[in-house]
Amino acid sequence: MGLAKTEMFNDLQNEISLISKAFSHPARVTILQYLFKIDSCVCGDLVNEIGLAQPTISQHLKELKQLGLIKGTVEGTSVCYCINHEKWAQMKTVMSEFLDQDLPTKQDCC
Amino acid sequence: MGLAKTEMFNDLQNEISLISKAFSHPARVTILQYLFKIDSCVCGDLVNEIGLAQPTISQHLKELKQLGLIKGTVEGTSVCYCINHEKWAQMKTVMSEFLDQDLPTKQDCC
DNA sequence: TTTATTTATCGTAATATTGCAATGTATAAA
DNA sequence: TTTATACATTGCAATATTACGATAAATAAA
């Protein structure tokens, strides 16, 4: 099928999985790391920075933009991308709660 | 293609994407939440708890086990699964570093 | 040994993802 | 207006993922 049965899970479970899907490709992880590192808009050099073809990068950027984690601003003939810090912070809250489910004192039971 | 070009990314980038892939399906998120919630081994009732067929659950469990996030112990005719707390903590370190890339004072630049 | 129970594996269908060549679109420069 | 530049979109091929019926494997109980 290749199709997740999202209707049988709650909103939080689906949200966590959607966020994680955005991070589930190394190219998107790399794009985000690069945007944080240069700490400003990126117009163009992502294709040079990462060794993938321009349409491929464009597709990955689209997915990150759809989730709201990055913003794109048209600037002349190029488009500048940068991190959406507010959205990133919101996302971090959701993911941290999920990751912090483990309690420090707990032991494995098997 | 459907095949990520992992060789062009570094180990950390690939690790983050692999961890995230494990969380990119709501059934696996739900399984992990349930294991944390009951805080003991689960033998069997995952199929009842989540509304997916037994082979499907088994497949999701296999993926989580391969990443090391859960452990399975054979107990008679059933298999008991639980969280691997040590591995979870390691995973959390990697993911937290990635999620905490944003600095509190930073503003969007576009 | 036979039967029941539980989980894993196999096989397969449906859908999703990844990657890129070709092409479209929009703006800037000439 | 023409040309160049940058990015998006389309279309398609290859591979991955998801789901589950059928079946295998392993152990416990009868």
Side-chain angles (χ1 to χ4, degrees):
Chain A
M1 312 253 159
L3 167 79
K5 294 190 158 180
T6 54
E7 74 283 357
M8 59 199 338
F9 304 102
N10 68 36
D11 288 350
L12 180 60
Q13 287 156 348
N14 284 313
E15 189 181 1
I16 291 168
S17 70
L18 282 179
I19 293 168
S20 298
K21 193 175 283 184
F23 300 149
S24 72
H25 194 290
R28 291 190 291 269
V29 170
T30 305
I31 288 171
L32 291 165
Q33 284 177 330
Y34 186 69
L35 288 176
F36 275 118
K37 183 181 140 205
I38 66 153
D39 193 31
S40 71
C41 296
V42 160
C43 308
D45 40 322
L46 274 169
V47 176
N48 303 322
E49 192 66 21
I50 305 171
L52 292 169
Q54 180 266 324
T56 308
I57 298 290
S58 187
Q59 202 173 315
H60 285 306
L61 287 168
K62 189 181 178 184
E63 286 174 65
L64 292 172
K65 203 163 67 175
Q66 271 170 346
L67 245 190
L69 293 175
I70 65 173
K71 290 195 278 190
T73 309
V74 177
E75 205 141 310
T77 167
S78 63
V79 177
C80 295
Y81 285 101
C82 67
I83 299 290
N84 182 339
H85 284 82
E86 188 181 340
K87 187 78 185 180
W88 187 271
Q90 286 172 21
M91 173 281 290
K92 226 168 68 168
T93 303
V94 173
M95 288 305 289
S96 296
E97 202 160 324
F98 174 70
L99 295 172
D100 290 340
Q101 281 174 104
D102 60 328
L103 299 172
T105 53
K106 292 297 174 185
Q107 297 272 322
D108 299 346
C109 49
C110 56
Chain B
M1 311 254 158
L3 167 79
K5 294 192 159 181
T6 54
E7 74 283 358
M8 59 198 339
F9 304 103
N10 68 35
D11 288 351
L12 180 61
Q13 288 157 348
N14 284 313
E15 189 181 1
I16 291 169
S17 71
L18 282 179
I19 293 168
S20 299
K21 193 175 283 184
F23 300 150
S24 72
H25 194 289
R28 291 192 290 271
V29 170
T30 305
I31 288 170
L32 291 165
Q33 284 176 330
Y34 186 69
L35 288 177
F36 275 118
K37 182 181 141 205
I38 65 153
D39 193 31
S40 71
C41 296
V42 159
C43 309
D45 41 323
L46 274 170
V47 176
N48 303 322
E49 191 65 21
I50 305 172
L52 292 169
Q54 179 267 323
T56 308
I57 298 290
S58 188
Q59 202 172 316
H60 285 307
L61 287 167
K62 189 181 178 184
E63 286 174 65
L64 292 172
K65 203 163 65 175
Q66 271 169 347
L67 244 190
L69 293 175
I70 65 174
K71 289 194 278 189
T73 309
V74 177
E75 205 141 309
T77 166
S78 64
V79 177
C80 294
Y81 285 101
C82 67
I83 299 290
N84 182 340
H85 284 82
E86 189 182 338
K87 187 77 185 181
W88 186 271
Q90 286 172 20
M91 174 281 290
K92 226 168 69 170
T93 304
V94 173
M95 288 304 290
S96 297
E97 201 159 326
F98 174 69
L99 295 173
D100 291 339
Q101 280 174 105
D102 61 329
L103 299 172
T105 53
K106 292 298 174 185
Q107 298 272 323
D108 299 347
C109 48
C110 56

